[in-house]
Amino acid sequence: MSDVNTHSWSTAGSSSVLIKKFVSASYDYFLRESDIFLTQLQRQLQVLSSVKDLSIFEPTYMETVEFYNCLEQLLTKPKAKTHFAWRVVVLIIHMTNSKPVLLALRDEVQILAVLSDYLRTEKLSRDKFEKTLNLMRKISHGFKLEHAEAWLLRLLPNLVDIIVDGMSNSSSGGGGCELVYSALATLANLCRKNTVVLNCLATWTNVNRLLYCLMSQQSSSNRQHMLLCTELYLLIHSANSAASAATAAQLQGGSAVALVLSVCNDGVAESAPEAVQLATDVLNTVAAAPNMMQHIVSFKNYKKEVSRILKQLDSCCSDTAAEAAGFLATLVRLNIEQLVSFYPDILTRAVSWIQQSSSNNSNSICNYNGCSSTYLQLLHALLHTANDELLDKQLQHFVTAATHHLQLDNTCKFSLHKVSQLIDALKLVQSLAVRKRIFALNLTISLKPELFTGLMEPLLEFSRHVELLRHRGKLVSRKDADSGCELDAAVADTCRSAAGMSYSLMNCSTSSTGSNGLVYGYKKSNDGGVLLCSEAIVRVLTVVKTLGKEDGAFMLQYNTLLNSGSLMPHVVQCQQSCRKPLVKLAVQLLYDTTIPRDSLEVLVNSTCQGNQQQQFMSGSSVVAAAGGGGIGGISSTDALLQDSSLLQGATPSDLMDRVEDVMARLKKIAENPDMSGLPLTDLVDLYEFKLAAMTHSELALHDLLSVAGDNSRLLRRSLLHARSENTRVRVLL
């Protein structure tokens, strides 16, 4: 086991030298916007755009976090945008060829907001506009929003205008089909499972005109184009009212299922994974739409379409096969009677795909492969819908597939994606163990307790690495929020002149005050990363405990693990999360043997409610603390007051005297042509006073926000009163 842990997570210097050179060149340019540094930075961007090993862009170390911060500044700073914006977009297009980097750009860097403003504000050629929009389409897939944001309110009308104008031009013989498709796909990605986006779409756009254009495209020759129009039509109507959703289901239900299967067949035949992915997304939307299940169940040609998909899978590429596995998993979850005869063939293929995926990589955990997670999800869907007879015959296939993902190699090195894959394998084992007692007995024979305990030490080590990176990320976030960029020692040594340092401070202090996607997304992602590690640990404990009911060796190992002090913080963290499945697992581990099962369910529900309220209160306090002055790295006003050396023991009159003294000295120096005598201490005093002023402004903004909140509540009550009076008058009429 010691061989497994020979890797070190603290080796931040292992990131690419190219990343470090780019960060250094970026800071050089931010400090002195000269032609020399401009040329050097352009050269670094060109070099990075041709890199073949895209793993260097994964945000695993602090250098990569700084790299993403520099990219964001190059896309947002007015002067930098002129020279570098399109080169940065080209680099991001190249980076999205890696799935982990694509997910990092979407969730951790949150680059979509920056690209949205770039697309809207810059005058781009048609080719650049189309490539940028296509990049947004790719990044926006799977994007989740918890609340409306300013960039979204500006982007949605822009997308709707592109769709409506493009459809009008195409109907009159104009071009723009690719542009319309990218806009449709981006809008559909944003609307899926995002009620906030649907509400904003109805409020801030001409949604009736959009619906009319979507209906006019039902006879389009492009099936993917027509499928997107159908999905958006269902999504918008489902968000409006029950009557509207029923009407949409009646109009689209008969053709939607057939169109989904046709697009999936075309994608598999042409080895186009994006088409199969679109079919999966739309199938999920159709299944979730009101009044659509009856159309799904009543469709008669499942056998014909699914048999075609299975026949064509033998000749398609691995990416397409993975997307097809996801589509089949969605179909299996719908529990359609016509598909039961295909379950043995699907199961055999899924196990074969997992074995091929494992053989293509030196280790299924040590090398991230999103295909394996999809295949595990397909097996999980089959496990929940197939009958016991099939499972009895194919049990060994399930065990073989799960074991492939639980065994570690000497070269193993975790990542968040690989931990997620491990969780999928543990879910599969747990589902098998609780499905039937004979399955649990077979698992105790096939698996050994050491297999699960061997996962604990590397998981704990990786969890410590993620926690350390999260704390260091907070420090970088604070520096970025205060200064706009973090200077390393090499760059600082090149900026010793007073004039250069003065310009550096002025430039950094006027950095963009918009939403820092890197800072917010990075903190959010790594909080989720710690929780993901805790979930993996809790699921290992749960599996060992379940198998321990059938085998004393597993129960003995479970008691040993549960007595480990290093594991309990992860159990408590899952208990304090807002995800009910995790809370239930943690509560069962802590209290399962001490309270009845009915009381256990009540405890889980009450714990979830308490966690949600606590998270809401803590989120509100963080937003309030970051709301004024644009300082996102400070947790509270009190902390800001304590950090300011200028405010400690100083009265307002003392502050004004110090400022007047500094201003007088700077005025004398400014009258001379040579600025070399500018004292750096005077500049520090000025910026400390500016920090104090921003602190007082923040307090004033808090007061204004509280008053605005009271007014908002009064207006809401007045609105409810008016609605009740309106209803009463309607009844009288």
Side-chain angles (χ1 to χ4, degrees):
M1 193 62 230
S2 59
D3 293 335
V4 175
N5 301 310
T6 53
H7 59 275
S8 174
W9 295 107
S10 60
T11 57
S14 61
S15 58
S16 174
V17 177
L18 295 176
I19 296 293
K20 295 180 180 179
K21 288 183 178 179
F22 172 80
V23 172
S24 179
S26 299
Y27 289 150
D28 285 338
Y29 176 77
F30 293 148
L31 292 171
R32 298 178 181 178
E33 296 179 351
S34 64
D35 293 339
I36 296 177
F37 295 126
L38 186 147
T39 304
Q40 290 179 355
L41 187 53
Q42 288 179 338
R43 186 182 304 115
Q44 291 298 325
L45 283 169
Q46 185 176 2
V47 170
L48 288 174
S49 299
S50 59
V51 169
K52 294 182 179 180
D53 182 15
L54 299 179
S55 63
I56 66 172
F57 299 116
E58 296 181 21
T60 310
Y61 302 107
M62 296 311 301
E63 287 85 350
T64 322
V65 176
E66 293 181 88
F67 164 75
Y68 283 116
N69 191 18
C70 293
L71 287 185
E72 184 177 352
Q73 292 190 58
L74 291 176
L75 280 172
T76 53
K77 285 181 176 291
K79 291 185 179 179
K81 231 193 305 191
T82 305
H83 302 289
F84 302 104
W86 180 245
R87 292 177 182 267
V88 172
V89 172
V90 172
L91 173 60
I92 295 174
I93 292 174
H94 175 64
M95 291 161 56
T96 54
N97 291 322
S98 167
K99 184 65 177 292
V101 176
L102 176 63
L103 296 178
L105 287 168
R106 184 193 70 188
D107 299 329
E108 300 176 15
V109 185
Q110 295 189 351
I111 200 69
L112 195 60
V114 181
L115 290 174
S116 170
D117 290 337
Y118 171 73
L119 185 75
R120 185 181 56 85
T121 57
E122 296 299 309
K123 294 182 179 180
L124 303 174
S125 64
R126 183 178 181 83
D127 180 61
K128 291 182 178 180
F129 190 91
E130 186 174 324
K131 288 182 178 179
T132 306
L133 187 59
N134 192 52
L135 174 62
M136 292 177 61
R137 173 193 64 80
K138 195 172 182 179
I139 295 177
S140 62
H141 185 264
F143 188 72
K144 294 294 182 294
L145 269 176
E146 297 177 356
H147 54 82
E149 298 180 9
W151 66 269
L152 180 68
L153 304 182
R154 295 189 293 264
L155 175 63
L156 291 179
N158 195 14
L159 290 177
V160 171
D161 290 341
I162 294 172
I163 293 170
V164 172
D165 295 341
M167 289 181 177
S168 301
N169 293 335
S170 62
S171 61
S172 60
C177 292
E178 292 296 329
L179 200 62
V180 172
Y181 177 80
S182 297
L184 278 171
T186 304
L187 184 59
N189 289 340
L190 292 173
C191 289
R192 291 186 194 111
K193 299 181 181 180
N194 284 323
T195 308
V196 172
V197 179
L198 291 171
N199 293 335
C200 293
L201 190 66
T203 305
W204 295 88
T205 65
N206 189 349
V207 70
N208 291 328
R209 188 182 177 197
L210 175 62
L211 288 172
Y212 175 79
C213 291
L214 294 176
M215 278 299 296
S216 65
Q217 297 295 312
Q218 296 304 307
S219 58
S220 174
S221 58
N222 189 329
R223 289 180 176 175
Q224 295 184 38
H225 188 106
M226 188 162 53
L227 188 59
L228 281 171
C229 292
T230 301
E231 182 186 17
L232 280 172
Y233 190 85
L234 288 172
L235 284 169
I236 295 172
H237 275 289
S238 299
N240 287 340
S241 63
S244 178
T247 303
Q250 185 175 3
L251 290 173
Q252 304 290 344
S255 59
V257 180
L259 189 58
V260 165
L261 290 167
S262 298
V263 170
C264 182
N265 263 307
D266 294 342
V268 175
E270 299 169 4
S271 287
E274 290 187 355
V276 183
Q277 184 184 70
L278 174 62
T280 305
D281 293 332
V282 179
L283 182 59
N284 283 314
T285 300
V286 171
N291 306 308
M292 286 297 296
M293 278 305 299
Q294 55 182 343
H295 297 287
I296 295 175
V297 174
S298 61
F299 186 72
K300 302 298 183 183
N301 293 328
Y302 280 114
K303 290 187 176 182
K304 176 183 176 182
E305 298 292 342
V306 173
S307 61
R308 285 178 55 198
I309 293 174
L310 294 176
K311 288 179 182 178
Q312 294 167 349
L313 281 176
D314 297 328
S315 58
C316 67
C317 64
S318 59
D319 292 339
T320 306
E323 295 297 341
F327 181 82
L328 292 173
T330 305
L331 272 180
V332 170
R333 290 190 195 100
L334 295 175
N335 202 11
I336 300 170
E337 188 67 27
Q338 300 179 48
L339 298 179
V340 174
S341 59
F342 293 102
Y343 285 177
D345 187 15
I346 295 175
L347 177 59
T348 304
R349 289 175 181 273
V351 175
S352 174
W353 287 331
I354 287 178
Q355 293 173 342
Q356 290 177 7
S357 176
S358 300
S359 62
N360 291 336
N361 299 298
S362 61
N363 184 283
S364 61
I365 288 183
C366 300
N367 296 287
Y368 170 67
N369 189 348
C371 302
S372 297
S373 293
T374 308
Y375 302 146
L376 284 172
Q377 293 168 13
L378 176 56
L379 289 177
H380 205 269
L382 288 168
L383 181 61
H384 280 278
T385 55
N387 54 38
D388 290 342
E389 182 181 357
L390 174 63
L391 296 180
D392 288 334
K393 295 179 180 178
Q394 306 290 344
L395 176 63
Q396 191 57 41
H397 284 163
F398 285 96
V399 176
T400 301
T403 306
H404 269 293
H405 296 274
L406 295 176
Q407 292 175 338
L408 297 180
D409 189 82
N410 290 338
T411 60
C412 176
K413 191 173 182 179
F414 276 108
S415 73
L416 293 179
H417 307 291
K418 298 155 195 173
V419 173
S420 179
Q421 184 174 298
L422 175 62
I423 290 174
D424 289 334
L426 291 169
K427 286 180 180 179
L428 182 62
V429 175
Q430 177 67 14
S431 299
L432 278 171
V434 300
R435 174 68 184 264
K436 202 174 180 181
R437 186 181 179 187
I438 188 64
F439 295 166
L441 290 172
N442 286 331
L443 286 172
T444 59
I445 297 173
S446 303
L447 306 176
K448 301 299 178 184
E450 293 77 13
L451 177 65
F452 297 97
T453 55
L455 297 171
M456 286 301 188
E457 191 173 348
L459 277 173
L460 288 171
E461 185 180 354
F462 179 67
S463 176
R464 288 191 291 269
H465 164 69
V466 174
E467 183 70 24
L468 176 63
L469 195 62
R470 182 170 68 93
H471 288 308
R472 293 177 64 188
K474 287 182 178 179
L475 296 177
V476 172
S477 301
R478 184 164 178 170
K479 292 178 182 179
D480 290 339
D482 289 340
S483 65
C485 61
E486 181 185 3
L487 306 181
D488 59 8
V491 176
D493 291 339
T494 64
C495 309
R496 294 177 179 175
S497 67
M501 184 60 71
S502 171
Y503 182 75
S504 165
L505 292 171
M506 292 172 63
N507 183 28
C508 294
S509 67
T510 56
S511 63
S512 173
T513 57
S515 62
N516 194 336
L518 176 68
V519 173
Y520 173 75
Y522 184 76
K523 178 180 180 297
K524 176 182 176 183
S525 169
N526 281 278
D527 283 342
V530 175
L531 183 61
L532 197 68
C533 296
S534 299
E535 179 183 356
I537 291 171
V538 168
R539 289 195 178 277
V540 170
L541 288 172
T542 303
V543 170
V544 176
K545 176 186 175 182
T546 304
L547 297 180
K549 296 177 181 179
E550 309 297 336
D551 191 330
F554 280 90
M555 184 56 69
L556 181 62
Q557 196 66 53
Y558 169 72
N559 292 328
T560 303
L561 291 173
L562 204 60
N563 291 328
S564 174
S566 59
L567 299 182
M568 291 312 296
H570 297 279
V571 179
V572 174
Q573 185 168 17
C574 289
Q575 184 199 13
Q576 295 175 350
S577 72
C578 293
R579 294 172 54 191
K580 187 174 180 179
L582 288 189
V583 175
K584 187 174 182 179
L585 288 176
V587 169
Q588 286 176 341
L589 289 176
L590 294 173
Y591 308 110
D592 192 14
T593 59
T594 58
I595 61 176
R597 184 170 299 275
D598 295 339
S599 301
L600 187 68
E601 189 66 26
V602 175
L603 178 61
V604 169
N605 293 332
S606 61
T607 304
C608 288
Q609 293 177 1
N611 293 343
Q612 290 172 357
Q613 293 175 0
Q614 184 177 2
Q615 186 182 38
F616 175 77
M617 295 300 295
S618 62
S620 300
S621 63
V622 169
V623 171
I631 303 178
I634 309 300
S635 60
S636 67
T637 305
D638 295 336
L640 186 61
L641 291 171
Q642 294 173 1
D643 287 345
S644 178
S645 61
L646 182 69
L647 292 176
Q648 296 175 359
T651 63
S653 58
D654 294 333
L655 295 177
M656 293 305 300
D657 292 338
R658 289 182 60 180
V659 171
E660 290 176 358
D661 182 51
V662 172
M663 291 298 295
R665 292 200 304 270
L666 290 178
K667 185 177 180 181
K668 292 180 181 179
I669 297 173
E671 292 174 354
N672 300 325
D674 186 11
M675 296 285 289
S676 60
L678 181 65
L680 185 59
T681 55
D682 290 345
L683 286 175
V684 173
D685 285 344
L686 274 182
Y687 278 96
E688 283 187 344
F689 182 81
K690 180 179 179 181
L691 183 62
M694 292 171 67
T695 303
H696 292 294
S697 300
E698 183 180 4
L699 294 174
L701 285 173
H702 284 325
D703 294 337
L704 291 174
L705 285 173
S706 63
V707 174
D710 295 336
N711 291 335
S712 177
R713 285 190 291 273
L714 288 174
L715 290 173
R716 190 176 293 110
R717 284 197 291 268
S718 300
L719 177 62
L720 293 175
H721 178 71
R723 286 179 175 174
S724 63
E725 289 293 323
N726 186 23
T727 303
R728 187 175 63 85
V729 173
R730 285 176 181 269
V731 172
L732 293 176
L733 293 177

